[in-house]
Amino acid sequence: LDWGRQIAEGTAREIAENPEVVRVYLGTGGAATPRAARATATEDRPSVLRIEGLSVDYGKLRALRSIDFELREGEIVAVLGANGAGKSSLARAIAGLIPCAEGRILLGSEDVTRQLAPRRARKGIALCHEGRRLFSELKVRENLELAAYSGASTTHRRELFERVHDLFPLLRERENAYAGELSGGQQQMVAIARALLSDPRIVIFDELSLGLAPQIVDEIYRAVDQIRAWGVSIVLIEQSAYRALSVADRVYVIERGRVSFNGVSRDLEQEKALRDAYFGTREDPPSPPGATTGGGSGEA
Ligand code: ATP
């Protein structure tokens, strides 16, 4: 189903190969997609975030297993995968919202694995949550003021506000509107601005384009490019794979809690690798021993 409309019917394999299903799950796709058009060589840059052997558990469920991940200065790194693959768990673990069962997280050279979320936020990690999570009964301006970096000087605070208002002029025009009155795209702009007002070194965007109209997604992706140009490093978690690949320098594909692909975006040319990760069509799917692993839709 897509937006309440049946788009395909058949065996699992037929569904995985159906072009309409692929379009809906992976974004626009196909040869016409300007994949990684602006990808730059970033291997020489210093790392801002490094994750080594990260595992995350929810009770007995091991949602992430031995994840190695790196984000370098000024990079956009996409994290792709099906529903339940573990993308949001990775975002939450980086931000400090859920504990790591194993492994460590380094911000620059500092080990932040045991630090709580507010401390990591002050050190420059911002998370723009899936589903936005705004205060709907507060005004746009109030949502942003709550998020503004408390340690910043008045001048710096003003600069940060100017910056997000220039990025999305609509936020200035609608500053007295209640967040709950805004469209989904406008709310996403508030959520992005809120993340930026903490003056982060790293922003993690979780499902930026989910449920938004294509024109709004274009506008939001232009903003992502601009944010990178300010020197902020970006982790871009997306289900809409091709959209993310069009801006990302590198990409990780997560499949059932493990990294199944890690490389530069253009090497993911093989649509097959993506389809395997999204539709579970791999001949020998990774089936980790021990605790049950997440990854529901991969088994559909
Ligand atoms: P989606 O796009 O659907 O959010 P995802 O790739 O972000 O998927 P996660 O939300 O990280 O995946 O979920 C990974 C696994 O962990 C799934 O099996 C999910 O059911 C499970 N999980 C996520 N959050 C919790 C939780 N709070 N308690 C128990 N299990 C959870």
Side-chain angles (χ1 to χ4, degrees):
L1 297 180
D2 180 39
W3 291 94
R5 186 173 61 91
Q6 181 179 322
I7 53 170
E9 181 184 349
T11 64
R13 186 155 292 278
E14 283 163 2
I15 293 297
E17 284 165 7
N18 180 301
E20 178 71 351
V21 175
V22 172
R23 185 190 66 73
V24 165
Y25 270 73
L26 302 185
T28 48
T33 307
R35 270 174 244 173
R38 271 176 245 155
T40 40
T42 53
E43 64 270 19
D44 297 336
R45 298 190 190 169
S47 145
V48 277
L49 178 74
R50 183 188 290 278
I51 296 176
E52 296 169 355
L54 172 73
S55 297
V56 164
D57 295 338
Y58 297 105
K60 287 188 179 158
L61 179 97
R62 177 141 286 192
L64 291 178
R65 279 177 185 269
S66 304
I67 301 280
D68 292 325
F69 176 93
E70 189 185 18
L71 175 68
R72 302 182 193 126
E73 233 162 57
E75 262 192 327
I76 300 180
V77 170
V79 178
L80 309 177
N83 276 332
K87 306 179 299 296
S88 295
S89 300
L90 178 63
R92 292 196 288 261
I94 296 171
L97 297 172
I98 50 173
C100 306
E102 289 167 3
R104 54 185 206 146
I105 299 175
L106 299 162
L107 181 63
S109 56
E110 185 182 0
D111 188 337
V112 297
T113 317
R114 305 280 158 230
Q115 292 182 10
L116 298 176
R119 188 140 177 230
R120 291 194 211 182
R122 281 196 299 277
K123 291 202 171 140
I125 299 178
L127 170 60
C128 185
H129 287 275
E130 176 177 359
R132 305 185 271 274
R133 304 197 192 175
L134 302 179
F135 293 103
S136 53
E137 58 310 337
L138 294 186
K139 293 179 176 172
V140 168
R141 179 174 39 80
E142 292 165 336
N143 267 279
L144 297 182
E145 279 169 359
L146 277 174
Y149 179 53
S150 55
S153 66
T154 314
T155 319
H156 189 38
R157 224 172 103 98
R158 199 176 306 123
E159 280 166 9
L160 289 168
F161 268 91
E162 267 169 29
R163 193 184 252 199
V164 298
H165 282 146
D166 289 347
L167 189 66
F168 298 124
L170 183 126
L171 297 181
R172 192 180 277 123
E173 291 156 24
R174 303 225 55 197
E175 65 176 3
N176 287 318
Y178 289 99
E181 292 172 350
L182 303 181
S183 69
Q186 293 170 345
Q187 289 187 8
Q188 189 63 287
M189 291 174 192
V190 179
I192 294 170
R194 188 175 59 175
L196 294 171
L197 284 167
S198 65
D199 198 14
R201 291 165 68 188
I202 296 170
V203 184
I204 308 159
F205 291 118
D206 194 358
E207 301 287 9
L208 260 188
S209 64
L210 195 68
L212 301 182
Q215 280 153 295
I216 300 289
V217 177
D218 287 344
E219 192 175 340
I220 288 198
Y221 266 80
R222 276 196 293 277
V224 168
D225 237 6
Q226 177 60 51
I227 295 164
R228 183 242 294 267
W230 294 337
V232 179
S233 309
I234 296 171
V235 180
L236 190 57
I237 294 177
E238 271 286 10
Q239 264 222 323
S240 180
Y242 288 108
R243 193 58 99 147
L245 289 176
S246 70
V247 293
D249 300 304
R250 290 186 303 116
V251 58
Y252 290 78
V253 178
I254 299 191
E255 202 174 340
R256 303 180 190 209
R258 289 182 188 272
V259 173
S260 62
F261 175 92
N262 158 22
V264 291
S265 307
R266 62 181 168 276
D267 288 347
L268 204 60
E269 290 287 316
Q270 284 285 340
E271 254 174 39
K272 191 172 174 320
L274 270 181
R275 281 196 214 188
D276 285 344
Y278 275 65
F279 302 114
T281 45
R282 191 195 296 285
E283 299 290 321
D284 55 339
S287 50
T292 324
T293 306
S297 65
E299 289 161 355

